[in-house]
Amino acid sequence: MKVAVCLIGFSAICLALVQATPVKADNEKAIFCYFESWTVYRPGNGKFDVENIDPNLCTHVAFTFLGLNSDGTLNILDPWESNPDGLDGFERLVGLKKQNSNLKVLASLGGWNEGSLKYSQVVADPAKRANLVASAIAFINKYGFDGLDFDWEYPSRRDSENPDDKENFVTMLQELREAFDQYGLLLSAAVNSAKVNVDISYNVPLLSKYLDHVNVMTYDFHGDFDKYIGHHTLLYSAPIDAQYNNSEWNIDDGIKYWLASGMDPAKMNFGIATYARTFTMADSTNPELYAAITGGGVPGPYTRSAGVLGYNEICELYPNRTDIFDDVQMVPHVVIGNQWIGYDNEQSIGIKVDYALNKSLGGFMVWSFDTDDFTGLCGEGTYPLTRAIHTKLAQRGFTLKKN
Ligand SMILES: *[C@@H]1O[C@H](CO)[C@@H](O)[C@H](O)[C@H]1NC(C)=O
Ligand SMILES: *[C@@H]1O[C@H](CO)[C@@H](O)[C@H](O)[C@H]1NC(C)=O
Ligand SMILES: *[C@@H]1O[C@H](CO)[C@@H](O)[C@H](O)[C@H]1NC(C)=O
């Protein structure tokens, strides 16, 4: 690989460095996008359905979420949304492959609302694990999905503090892998990104071995679950983070730890969040990190949840906002009245894409389609945040993975 380094201030001086490593066929990157099926019920401009998905923006699309029954079989959580006698969501989602023959469509099992305990109990029991494998294959083949995405939040944590979860999870993935290989199916997982959580939940080398993709949830570091202001997608820690013992509570320390623990970077997808975590400030004259809050920010018209705003809601509600860019954490926020809104814009996403490319990661994960400006009503075109990934990839000479 040839890298041209130009010294700023000496614009005529450019040095060409030749790295010793041979050029690999790693110029193709994945963009793994999540579809939240409950967004079909949002009002007005926020309503999002399968037809709003641009199937050429992503290499993978994952339906969220399937649930788990206590015997290990899969549970269709919203049969009305998913089945042919209702909105037929599975069929229409898998149908996106007709518009992009390279697209892979997966079904994602788990998510926050499922809790952890059921998963702990199923993966600990050989008969229930066998049920999960058989149920997953039957489900995938019935609807024509390309694979399963495992989103257990999280092994050995929350309502399951069973220390065996970590190894039982790997056994589960190994059994899925062996069965999936007979059908050529994909197996991925969404994982926690914080450094302190990795060893609790994950056997990293074996996750790296059994999974095709590991989607790192590089967001939600701060939120109204804290008692203070903080940015939820900070790339690096600010000096003040050290005073609060949070010097490693950031994306960079998490990614570095995953890689140092044995994760194959080529299988790792860096998470891009299309939503903000928001706060109501206790004192609107003190909009600083770690300043007191009275709670989450005011709910938006579509996501309708205190402490969260979609990018589409931010750009619609606050078209004239002024981003304040933190040059250390490398993320923007806006302050409007007593509201503090920490999110990602095209600039911070460009920096994150650079970061992931510098680390030779396999690609990106987007959570989620429905809170990007998918209709383009804010005047930056459709899907400005997801397209910011494409723009940076193209600038650096990368293309999308052809599955
Ligand atoms: C940081 O950790 C030190 C040592 O454990 C502790 O004494 C201190 O109270 C902590 N500071 C904060 C702000 O939590
Ligand atoms: C944003 O600025 C434009 C141009 O100055 C103005 O017409 C519009 O009313 C403003 N919108 C809001 C929501 O403040
Ligand atoms: C990526 O690498 C380039 C070249 O070394 C460097 O200029 C840039 O700052 C890096 N970006 C990030 C976010 O690491």
Side-chain angles (χ1 to χ4, degrees):
M1 193 194 332
K2 246 188 176 174
V3 184
V5 179
C6 300
L7 303 176
I8 295 164
F10 297 85
S11 55
I13 305 174
C14 292
L15 311 168
L17 305 178
V18 180
Q19 289 190 351
T21 47
V23 178
K24 286 192 290 177
D26 64 354
N27 68 324
E28 293 186 354
K29 300 297 176 184
I31 303 185
F32 195 115
C33 303
Y34 282 100
F35 168 58
E36 298 184 298
S37 56
W38 56 93
T39 60
V40 304
Y41 304 116
R42 286 183 182 161
N45 291 333
K47 178 177 156 56
F48 186 94
D49 209 337
V50 170
E51 286 66 34
N52 295 110
I53 295 173
D54 181 337
N56 296 306
L57 285 181
C58 309
T59 56
H60 301 74
V61 169
F63 170 90
T64 66
F65 281 111
L66 297 173
L68 193 62
N69 295 313
S70 57
D71 66 354
T73 56
L74 300 184
N75 177 19
I76 296 175
L77 292 172
D78 183 355
W80 169 252
E81 185 281 331
S82 300
N83 283 335
D85 56 352
L87 300 175
D88 207 12
F90 289 153
E91 183 96 25
R92 289 186 296 129
L93 194 70
V94 171
L96 292 173
K97 289 157 65 77
K98 294 187 200 121
Q99 296 173 55
N100 173 4
S101 57
N102 286 319
L103 187 69
K104 297 292 181 193
V105 182
L106 295 88
S108 187
L109 168 65
W112 181 263
N113 292 340
E114 277 276 286
S116 183
L117 182 59
K118 236 182 335 184
Y119 291 77
S120 172
Q121 290 166 345
V122 166
V123 301
D125 181 328
K128 291 178 178 176
R129 286 200 306 269
N131 286 346
L132 200 161
V133 172
S135 178
I137 287 186
F139 172 85
I140 287 168
N141 288 337
K142 175 173 178 187
Y143 292 99
F145 284 92
D146 295 301
L148 185 77
D149 178 61
F150 212 124
D151 191 358
W152 175 1
E153 297 185 17
Y154 303 97
S156 312
R157 290 183 53 210
R158 298 184 63 203
D159 53 330
S160 169
E161 294 189 356
N162 182 350
D164 297 336
D165 286 359
K166 174 174 161 175
E167 296 309 321
N168 291 341
F169 184 36
V170 159
T171 305
M172 179 80 250
L173 295 176
Q174 179 182 8
E175 290 171 8
L176 282 167
R177 175 85 273 163
E178 284 164 5
F180 278 25
D181 280 348
Q182 297 166 34
Y183 298 89
L185 299 174
L186 293 170
L187 183 62
S188 63
V191 300
N192 194 284
S193 65
K195 179 177 176 181
V196 294
N197 292 330
V198 175
D199 288 335
I200 300 170
S201 298
Y202 306 113
N203 178 330
V204 176
L206 290 182
L207 255 53
S208 186
K209 178 176 176 191
Y210 296 130
L211 294 168
D212 296 298
H213 296 277
V214 171
N215 295 323
V216 192
M217 295 186 272
T218 39
Y219 38 72
D220 297 341
F221 279 91
H222 294 285
D224 62 4
F225 40 83
D226 297 329
K227 298 280 172 273
Y228 52 80
I229 294 171
H231 202 294
H232 86 107
T233 61
L234 70 170
L235 185 54
Y236 305 106
S237 282
I240 192 172
D241 288 313
Q243 292 169 37
Y244 290 85
N245 296 336
N246 278 335
S247 57
E248 296 187 326
W249 191 248
N250 62 77
I251 294 173
D252 174 53
D253 277 288
I255 295 283
K256 286 198 293 212
Y257 195 69
W258 267 97
L259 295 175
S261 303
M263 185 68 220
D264 177 357
K267 290 186 171 185
M268 195 170 194
N269 295 330
F270 186 110
I272 299 291
T274 58
Y275 64 95
R277 291 241 171 228
T278 66
F279 306 88
T280 298
M281 294 180 274
D283 173 1
S284 46
T285 66
N286 185 17
E288 302 302 325
L289 296 172
Y290 295 97
I293 60 171
T294 60
V298 175
Y302 311 137
T303 55
R304 295 177 288 186
S305 174
V308 172
L309 277 182
Y311 178 74
N312 57 336
E313 292 173 308
I314 297 170
C315 75
E316 201 181 324
L317 290 169
Y318 307 119
N320 301 330
R321 68 190 178 279
T322 304
D323 286 338
I324 301 164
F325 202 88
D326 185 318
D327 290 325
V328 181
Q329 294 193 340
M330 291 295 184
V331 277
H333 67 272
V334 292
V335 175
I336 294 155
N338 64 358
Q339 301 292 295
W340 198 101
I341 299 165
Y343 72 125
D344 278 283
N345 60 12
E346 282 103 318
Q347 181 187 2
S348 65
I349 289 172
I351 291 167
K352 285 173 169 165
V353 174
D354 266 333
Y355 175 94
L357 294 177
N358 288 359
K359 294 254 183 300
S360 301
L361 302 192
F364 302 87
M365 170 265 272
V366 178
W367 183 275
S368 57
F369 275 127
D370 51 280
T371 51
D372 199 345
D373 180 17
F374 59 91
T375 59
L377 64 86
C378 297
E380 306 158 282
T382 59
Y383 284 107
L385 300 188
T386 308
R387 284 187 204 281
I389 304 173
H390 288 245
T391 303
K392 179 59 81 173
L393 285 178
Q395 275 173 14
R396 294 208 28 191
F398 291 88
T399 58
L400 290 199
K401 195 166 186 291
K402 288 169 206 67
N403 285 303

